[in-house]
């Protein structure tokens, strides 16, 4: 069928979206990797071929067409952020964008960064290395999540250059409430706030103004819930970003000023998001991303619908898991937190999470693990029966 789809089309024993993912064979496999690498719709392959055809036809003149794709990707991220006028810098991954952001800070005058102990390795590893180089990094415990924003806000002082925090924690899927408090504390002390929204976009609706994050930098990408594949990440710049001069950028960051005679002793910057741009890149990712974003629009896969599907599927998974009646000493889940406080996956806690992941993979159930967290990530193209079957196999693994 053609869109727009409804919740009824994407739940139950049949799934109207699944036929659009024939090459990933989503109807035949138990792919609980929706929080990490969702399947790509078939149109993504067509877009990749279009990128090849453009290069073959236009050779080095392909870039005008490539930049058109990039503009479509920026527009897609603006819509997902609820910020129609946002300046967007694009990058191949979030690490390069975070590094560009850090390079714009005056870390000599304000050598203190604040973060949490629940951040993904992109931030964790880079900040640990900066500690080795002499910076001060304060890691606020992520638990209890309900007070995390308040505790982060209390930690910001006059020596703080920036706070780096996720809107959804990557190990537990917990949504971090009250980040507007952190934004206000940063604003009051002239510090920057960088929010990692990677585990939010495509599964939890976002409206930066309504969330009190109009002054925040936001980083994320399409590798996970948005089905864009590799190479399509973004950095949303607040208005005051135009005052900053990032150290680590590429020659694309000077595009708007290349025609103007340059001061050989001072680097020039383009305006808008290009101020934080890199340089020559593989444009195939943007062809694919632009087409998949169009596909989502054609099918009616709005953030609101995707949230409803996600909450339904998480409910199916948790109910099936609870029916296993497994001893908590082996594996358990958070039953104290209300369902609406979670984002897009179910996190099960076990000291043998990695072993369970490997055993599930051997039986055809794709999941992943992070430390003691076994993560089960549904996706909108899966049926309820597939989710129940996957948990049943988990029960067999546990019994073994």
């Amino acid at each position: 069928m053609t869109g727009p789809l409804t919740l009824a089309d994407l739940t139950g024993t049949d799934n109207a979206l699944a036929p659009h993912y024939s090459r990933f064979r989503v109807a035949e496999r138990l792919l609980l990797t929706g929080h990490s690498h969702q399947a790509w719709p078939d149109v993504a392959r067509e877009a990749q071929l279009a990128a090849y055809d453009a290069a073959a036809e236009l050779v080095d003149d392909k870039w005008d067409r490539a930049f058109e794709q990039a503009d479509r990707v920026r527009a897609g991220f603006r819509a997902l952020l609820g910020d129609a006028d946002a300046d967007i810098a694009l990058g191949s991954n979030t690490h390069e964008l975070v590094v560009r952001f850090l390079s714009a800070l005056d870390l000599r005058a304000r050598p203190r960064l604040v973060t949490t102990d629940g951040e993904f390795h992109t931030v964790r590893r880079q900040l640990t290395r900066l500690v080795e180089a002499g910076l001060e990094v304060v890691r606020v415990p992520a638990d209890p999540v309900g007070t995390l924003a308040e505790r982060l806000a209390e930690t910001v002082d006059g020596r703080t250059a920036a706070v780096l925090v996720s809107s959804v924690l990557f190990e537990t899927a917990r949504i971090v409430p009250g980040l507007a408090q952190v934004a206000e504390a940063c604003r009051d002390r002239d510090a920057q706030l960088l929010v990692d929204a990677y585990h939010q976009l495509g599964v939890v609706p976002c409206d930066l103004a309504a969330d009190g994050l109009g002054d925040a930098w936001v980083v994320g990408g399409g590798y996970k819930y948005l089905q864009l594949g590799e190479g399509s990440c973004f950095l949303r710049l607040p208005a005051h970003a135009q005052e900053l001069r990032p150290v680590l950028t590429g020659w694309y960051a000077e595009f708007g000023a290349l025609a103007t005679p340059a001061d050989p002793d001072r680097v020039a910057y383009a305006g808008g998001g290009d101020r934080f741009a890199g340089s020559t890149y593989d444009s195939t990712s943007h062809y694919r991303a632009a087409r998949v974003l169009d596909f989502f629009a054609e099918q009616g896969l709005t953030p609101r619908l995707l949230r409803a599907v996600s909450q339904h599927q998480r409910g199916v998974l948790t109910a099936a898991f609870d029916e296993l009646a497994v001893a908590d000493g082996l594996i358990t889940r958070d039953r104290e937190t209300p369902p609406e406080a979670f984002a897009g996956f179910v996190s099960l806690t076990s000291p043998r999470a990695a072993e369970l992941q490997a055993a599930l993979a051997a039986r055809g159930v794709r999941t992943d693990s992070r430390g003691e967290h076994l993560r089960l990530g549904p996706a909108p193209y899966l049926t309820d029966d597939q989710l129940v079957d996957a948990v049943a196999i988990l029960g067999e693994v546990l019994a073994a």
Side-chain angles (χ1 to χ4, degrees), residues 16 51 78 98 141 164 167 170 187 194 211 220 227 245 275 277 287 291 298 321 338 350 355 361 365 399:
R78 290 187 185 105
V98 170
L164 299 90
S167 59
F170 83 100
R187 187 162 49 248
L194 176 72
D211 296 339
Q227 305 175 10
R245 304 180 74 248
R275 191 175 192 84
Y287 276 82
R291 184 63 188 93
E298 293 160 6
F321 174 76
S350 172
E355 184 180 350
V365 180

Side-chain angles (χ1 to χ4, degrees), residues 17 36 47 63 69 85 126 135 142-143 145-146 163 190 193 212-213 224 323 330 380 399:
L17 198 59
S36 179
W63 289 105
Q69 309 304 313
D85 299 320
Q126 188 60 70
L135 290 182
D143 289 323
V145 179
V163 176
D190 199 26
L193 171 61
L213 298 176
K224 306 180 189 300
E323 289 180 5
L330 178 57

Side-chain angles (χ1 to χ4, degrees), residues 30 42 89 117 155-156 175 241 291 307 346 351 392:
L30 299 179
D42 295 338
D117 64 2
T155 308
V156 181
I175 299 171
R291 184 63 188 93
R307 174 63 168 164
V346 174

Side-chain angles (χ1 to χ4, degrees), residues 271-291:
D274 285 343
R275 191 175 192 84
F276 282 74
S279 54
T280 309
Y281 63 98
D282 181 358
S283 61
T284 304
S285 61
H286 291 164
Y287 276 82
R288 181 178 62 238
R291 184 63 188 93

Side-chain angles (χ1 to χ4, degrees), residues 245 254 257 260-268:
R245 304 180 74 248
E254 200 175 359
T260 304
D263 180 346
D265 298 320
R266 186 173 177 83
V267 170

Side-chain angles (χ1 to χ4, degrees), residues 221-241:
Y223 185 74
K224 306 180 189 300
Y225 309 94
L226 297 175
Q227 305 175 10
L228 307 186
E230 303 86 348
S232 291
C233 292
F234 72 91
L235 175 67
R236 181 267 185 182
L237 281 59
H240 63 267

Side-chain angles (χ1 to χ4, degrees), residues 81-83 180 206-215 236:
L81 293 168
D83 186 357
C206 178
D207 185 327
L208 294 182
D211 296 339
L213 298 176
D215 291 342
R236 181 267 185 182

Side-chain angles (χ1 to χ4, degrees), residues 1-21 26 38 202 227 295-296 298-314 316 378-387:
M1 66 172 292
T2 58
L5 299 175
T6 66
L7 181 62
D9 296 320
L10 303 177
T11 55
T13 58
D14 293 311
N15 191 301
L17 198 59
H20 293 284
Y21 300 78
V26 299
Q38 290 204 6
Q227 305 175 10
F295 171 78
F296 269 45
E298 293 160 6
Q299 301 300 317
L301 299 178
T302 65
R304 186 182 297 275
L305 175 59
L306 291 171
R307 174 63 168 164
V309 173
S310 172
Q311 289 181 303
H312 170 84
Q313 292 182 326
R314 287 193 77 264
V316 172
Y381 41 73
L382 297 178
T383 66
D384 291 2
D385 289 347
Q386 287 176 292
L387 303 179

